[in-house]
Amino acid sequence: MKNPFSIPRPVPDGPWRWLVPVLLVLLFLLVLLWLPWQARQMEANERQEQLIADTLWVEQTLRFELARSEEALATLGADLSADAPPAPNALQARLAQMFKNGHELRRIAWLDADGKALALRGSELPESGLTQSSRDAQTMARSSRNGRYSDAYGAGHASGGLVDYHLPLYRHGQYAGSLLATYNLQTLLDENVPWWFAQDNALSLLDRDDRVVARRAAGGPGHGVYTHKRALDLPGAQIALATDSVKGAPKLLPNLLVGSVIVLALGLVISLAALWRHIARTIAAENALRQQMAFRTAMENSLLTGLRARDLEGRVTYVNPAFCRIVGHPAAELIGMKPPMPYWAPEAMADYEYRFRKVLEGQPVQQFETVFQRPDGTRVPVLVFEARLVDSNGRHTGWMSSILDITDRKRAEELARQQQEKLETSARLATMGEISSMLAHELNQPLAAISSYTAGALNVLERDGAGSGAGDGAGMLKRALEQANTQARRAGQIIRSVHEFVKKREPRRETVMVPQVIEGIRSLVDLQARQSYVTLQVNVAPGLPQVEADRVLLEQVLLNLTRNAIEAMQAIDPERRVLRIEAAHDVELGQVSVSVIDNGHGIPPEVAERLFSPFFSTKAEGMGMGLSICRTAIEFHGGTLTHADNPGGGTVFTFTLQQAQDKIAS
Ligand code: ADP
């Protein structure tokens, strides 16, 4: 079973408990730092892709412009190859129109099969003749019967590089010369690349040796970070279009995302450290609290004082083991309970209820003695102290009771009381002894004198011969003197017997069987009873235990009580004069009780008050010592002598004697 007073042990601390959260936080920080790098990477990719797309678009535009020019030249070439070529004026007009449509055109020349110019518009043919590459292009065009471009030339020239286009002409299948168109590549770029593109990118056209033949960079030179190069797909020529974005690589630090990530990461680390410290402090506080709790629990468990806490409604909220031991109920049964409590003894119910009412009213009785009842019915005398229960906010939440088991104290008190009674008894006996000695001493002399005088008087009467005749005065005197003598002797005997009795300070204790004592005096009592027409009945329970007692004393007590009983029945109808002697065994108390029961006149209250006082008697000739001596004798044996009314009229005198240890009469 779980001990309700124990506190749970904490799970032991281990480094592995920190490992998982620390790893998670590190991982989180890594992801946080990786994210902006990844974003930068994505941004760079996006820019690169955009540049490629834009470059492609520019290339298409340039290609389209040149293709349009090629088409116009092809139409012109077809007209020039016809049998009736256009008139020189008309040719010039058409050439002018073509220049107007394409600003990049630098020249158009109609050359015959020998390369001599038949017509020309634009700049003059160079005197040194066409470049080698242009001548190669011309040759290739003638052999392939298709228009061909030369390589770009004039790199580094201020007005921009040039490229030649040769379109071979055939008349009736015979080579009839060619059309030469020279394009200014710089103008081509300037005219066909939109301004916004030139703003963001530096564009250049490169020749076969990667020399710049034309360049456009409205936004300044490129950064060389985002670049793209693609060939202008011109038959026979190797010209490349290169773009270089003016944009640099996306910077990491000024980036808002990076900034916030760093701030967040720092915040996380700081708050984690703070949390760590807080947890460490909490754990330390918890440990201290646990130790305090363990100390408190150990203290409460070892306390002999019972502790009980109740809320304002009187419900039990806490009990310690000592309280459970006192009342004999487990804590689990008591906690949460409201009165009536299972340990309330029925005889004190009214007291409990009164005190509980006071508790509910907020004015409990602060200290009181009461008795609790254990489940087996035994009573526990307790001393209870009530105090207010106040929580950490100073709020009154209930009542705390300390309960002291005062069984031992009560026992000690009882012992002290018995000792006191014994002392009183001894004192009484001592007094009795003194009185009797004094009486014996004081009365013996006068009684002896009376005896002597009466004996002397009788002798005188005898000598004088008086009293021989009955009925005369001397005879009467003689009888009176005899009676006086007898009574004086009797008085002396009584005094001596009393003296003898009280002188015997140390009763002779022996193991006595009560039935035998009763048997011992039975004949004597019977004799007295018969004289007074009283019927004697003896009723002894079987198996009475033995007692430790002075047999003679017991006989005297019994004789005294029976004599009183017989005397009390003098006035009633002889048929009802029954004297009963009963002996019984009280197993629980370990006592033998003997009762002397009569049907006499009973004892009125005013007599009862003084019954056991020495020399108290209601009888004319009574000495009033009988009951006093009886009680002293019984108390000497550790017993009690009490009297009660007989329900059928009369009185019951009962004395008890402690049974001898482990000695039961067979
Ligand atoms: P005594 O018998 O000499 O009077 P006791 O001490 O024996 O002295 O008795 C004291 C008184 O108690 C008696 O005088 C009598 O009044 C009363 N008493 C004793 N025994 C009985 C009894 N059995 N019934 C009624 N009264 C009694």
Side-chain angles (χ1 to χ4, degrees), residues 510-532:
E510 55 190 330
T511 313
V512 178
M513 309 257 283
V514 172
Q516 285 181 1
V517 179
I518 296 173
E519 251 346 276
I521 52 135
R522 187 175 184 153
S523 53
L524 195 56
V525 176
D526 207 21
L527 189 70
Q528 289 177 2
R530 261 187 281 126
Q531 282 174 358
S532 301

Side-chain angles (χ1 to χ4, degrees), residues 512 517 549-558 634 655 657:
V512 178
V517 179
D550 185 319
R551 190 191 178 99
V552 180
L553 276 186
L554 284 193
E555 284 175 353
Q556 283 185 352
V557 169
L558 269 174
I634 293 299
F655 65 87
L657 293 167

Side-chain angles (χ1 to χ4, degrees), residues 560-561 563-565 567-568 598 601-603 607 611 613 616-619 621-628 651 653:
N560 244 307
L561 295 179
R563 200 194 66 227
N564 278 347
E567 285 174 359
D598 65 62
H601 51 68
I603 302 175
V607 174
L611 204 59
S613 306
F616 169 75
S617 176
T618 55
K619 299 167 194 166
E621 292 184 353
M623 249 192 35
M625 286 301 288
L627 285 180
S628 174
T651 313
F653 273 89

Side-chain angles (χ1 to χ4, degrees), residues 9-272:
R9 290 263 341 125
V11 183
D13 280 350
W16 60 269
R17 284 179 67 204
W18 289 105
L19 198 66
V20 175
V22 166
L23 280 180
L24 282 175
V25 167
L26 283 179
L27 197 69
F28 179 66
L29 284 176
L30 275 179
V31 170
L32 270 187
L33 290 172
W34 173 75
L35 268 179
W37 180 82
Q38 174 66 12
R40 177 172 169 265
Q41 207 60 26
M42 279 170 68
E43 191 182 335
N45 284 347
E46 205 176 305
R47 283 191 192 175
Q48 182 65 32
E49 277 167 20
Q50 185 64 42
L51 182 78
I52 292 170
D54 289 349
T55 308
L56 187 64
W57 182 79
V58 170
E59 188 250 337
Q60 291 296 321
T61 308
L62 298 180
R63 189 69 200 94
F64 176 75
E65 182 60 25
L66 291 173
R68 202 172 50 82
S69 189
E70 279 170 30
E71 224 167 273
L73 284 171
T75 313
L76 178 65
D79 287 351
L80 293 176
S81 304
D83 288 337
N89 283 351
L91 179 61
Q92 279 302 329
R94 280 185 69 175
L95 290 178
Q97 183 61 39
M98 283 173 74
F99 265 82
K100 207 172 160 190
N101 287 346
H103 293 149
E104 65 278 4
L105 273 170
R106 179 83 183 283
R107 82 162 67 86
I108 300 178
W110 181 20
L111 306 174
D112 65 9
D114 300 326
K116 215 170 94 202
L118 299 174
L120 178 97
R121 187 155 185 103
S123 58
E124 289 295 322
L125 284 168
E127 281 179 14
S128 54
L130 297 173
T131 61
Q132 181 56 44
S133 124
S134 185
R135 283 203 299 277
D136 289 349
Q138 193 176 26
T139 315
M140 283 296 291
R142 182 175 171 180
S143 61
S144 67
R145 291 180 167 247
N146 271 318
R148 298 292 283 206
Y149 285 90
S150 72
D151 276 331
Y153 56 94
H157 201 278
S159 57
L162 304 171
V163 68
D164 289 345
Y165 176 69
H166 291 276
L167 180 70
L169 301 176
Y170 295 89
R171 189 176 296 134
H172 305 302
Q174 293 295 316
Y175 180 66
S178 63
L179 268 175
L180 163 68
T182 301
Y183 297 101
N184 186 330
L185 290 171
Q186 185 62 50
T187 315
L188 185 72
L189 277 188
D190 291 346
E191 289 287 319
N192 292 293
V193 174
W195 65 270
W196 53 265
F197 190 79
Q199 195 70 35
D200 283 352
N201 302 285
L203 283 128
S204 35
L205 289 171
L206 309 173
D207 66 8
R208 184 183 290 269
D209 302 322
D210 273 348
R211 282 174 306 190
V212 176
V213 287
R215 176 179 195 82
R216 184 152 184 228
H223 276 76
V225 177
Y226 304 111
T227 58
H228 189 58
K229 187 174 156 190
R230 69 183 294 121
L232 273 184
D233 191 17
L234 299 177
Q238 265 202 19
I239 299 174
L241 171 67
T243 46
D244 185 355
S245 174
V246 296
K247 286 179 183 157
K251 285 182 185 136
L252 198 62
L253 268 177
N255 195 315
L256 186 68
L257 183 61
V258 177
S260 46
V261 162
I262 287 172
V263 168
L264 272 179
L266 272 176
L268 188 68
V269 168
I270 290 169
S271 57
L272 212 71

